[in-house]
């Protein structure tokens, strides 16, 4: 089959579109003919070697995949060739202490499609049958591929980790990102009010259209000041943070008493200072989150089918142009998800 893969670490120039080994399904796996695959920030880390693929090189990126089942493993029941599906990207062992507690996202053997296994920058991809959900007819392959990481991560962060309530206020960092654009919509769905940040004025209207009440260009305005003004000096109940560094450090200052900051990623740096005085004196919670559950993905599919959540897609590239797509994301030109279509 054809795939866009890399044999050595580096920039987008290392992404090669060429022949690649066909996936061979085990008895509990299916092989999916890829309909669409979305790009993610983690793809860049895998490519440049900050997060080297655990199974080594060559490697195929791509954790968000929709498509059609082509081959079904011998022990798989309830799935059939030709079925439209979406792949839940998180793999858990099912047997460790945390899986047994029902907390599969912190499984000691947790892995991702496209990171721990070859992913969807390809014509075909293999996944465990346990990770497969039917893709409703109303959701196109491209729209579906924009959901599994960003929407599930934002849902788990806001609903499960921050326990967001109607009427609360949320600061969402980076409205233009996949997680940011998802978090704004989910916060609005819950009935919360949203302030968000963007890095350029051409994203202001985009963020408002998603449901943000107040949009701050963080390059020209201090977002902590903007939060204080917007909340009448009170601060927000929840912050969704995935940048790290100074953005993390200052996000804590935007919280009100008993507020929760959920850290989802560290796109600029893995480090961030924490002013402990704010944490203990205001009884703040700083919690981490890592993807979510396949049940949350199924819930999201229902909301998307009903038109109450919208996958945010910037543009799709042909699979053979994967290198250009990676460069486009690296240059932060996108508002929403960038897709590859074989
Ligand atoms: Zn486990």
């Amino acid at each position: 089959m054809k795939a866009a893969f890399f044999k050595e670490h580096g920039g987008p120039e290392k992404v090669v579109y060429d022949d690649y080994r066909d996936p061979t399904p085990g008895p509990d796996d299916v092989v999916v003919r890829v309909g669409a695959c979305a790009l993610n920030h983690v793809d860049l880390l895998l490519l440049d070697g900050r997060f080297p693929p655990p199974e080594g090189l060559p490697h195929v990126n791509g954790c968000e995949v929709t498509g059609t089942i082509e081959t079904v493993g011998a022990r798989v029941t309830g799935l059939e060739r030709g079925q439209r599906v979406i792949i839940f990207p998180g793999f858990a062992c099912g047997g460790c202490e945390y899986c047994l507690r029902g907390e599969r996202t912190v499984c000691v053997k947790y892995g991702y499609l496209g990171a721990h296994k070859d992913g969807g920058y390809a014509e075909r991809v293999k996944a465990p049958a346990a990770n497969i959900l039917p893709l409703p007819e109303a959701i196109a392959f491209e729209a579906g591929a924009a959901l599994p990481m960003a929407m599930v991560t934002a849902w788990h962060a806001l609903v499960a980790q921050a326990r967001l309530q109607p009427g609360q206020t949320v600061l969402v960092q980076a409205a233009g990102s996949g997680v940011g654009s998802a978090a704004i919509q989910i916060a609005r769905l819950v009935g919360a009010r949203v302030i968000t940040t963007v890095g350029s004025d051409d994203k202001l209207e985009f963020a408002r259209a998603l449901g943000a009440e107040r949009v701050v260009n963080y390059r020209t305005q201090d977002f902590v000041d903007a939060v204080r003004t917007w909340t009448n000096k009170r601060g927000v109940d929840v912050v969704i943070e995935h940048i790290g560094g100074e953005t993390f450090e200052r996000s804590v200052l935007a919280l009100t008493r008993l507020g929760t900051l959920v850290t989802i990623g560290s796109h600029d740096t893995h480090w961030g200072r924490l002013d402990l005085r704010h944490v203990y004196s205001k009884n703040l919670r700083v919690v981490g989150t890592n993807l979510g559950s396949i049940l949350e993905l199924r819930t999201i599919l229902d909301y998307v089918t009903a038109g109450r959540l919208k996958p945010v897609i910037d543009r799709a590239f042909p699979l053979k142009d994967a290198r250009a797509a990676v460069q486009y994301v690296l240059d932060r030109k996108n508002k929403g998800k960038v897709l590859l279509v074989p």
Side-chain angles (χ1 to χ4, degrees), residues 93-94 96 99 107:
C93 77
C96 74
C99 282
C107 170

Side-chain angles (χ1 to χ4, degrees), residues 205-228:
E205 195 44 51
F206 168 81
R208 281 191 203 102
L210 291 172
E213 195 174 301
R214 176 85 175 81
V215 187
V216 184
N217 182 337
Y218 64 82
R219 294 187 199 277
T220 56
Q221 197 187 354
D222 184 296
F223 70 80
V224 179
D225 285 348
V227 165
R228 285 190 186 126

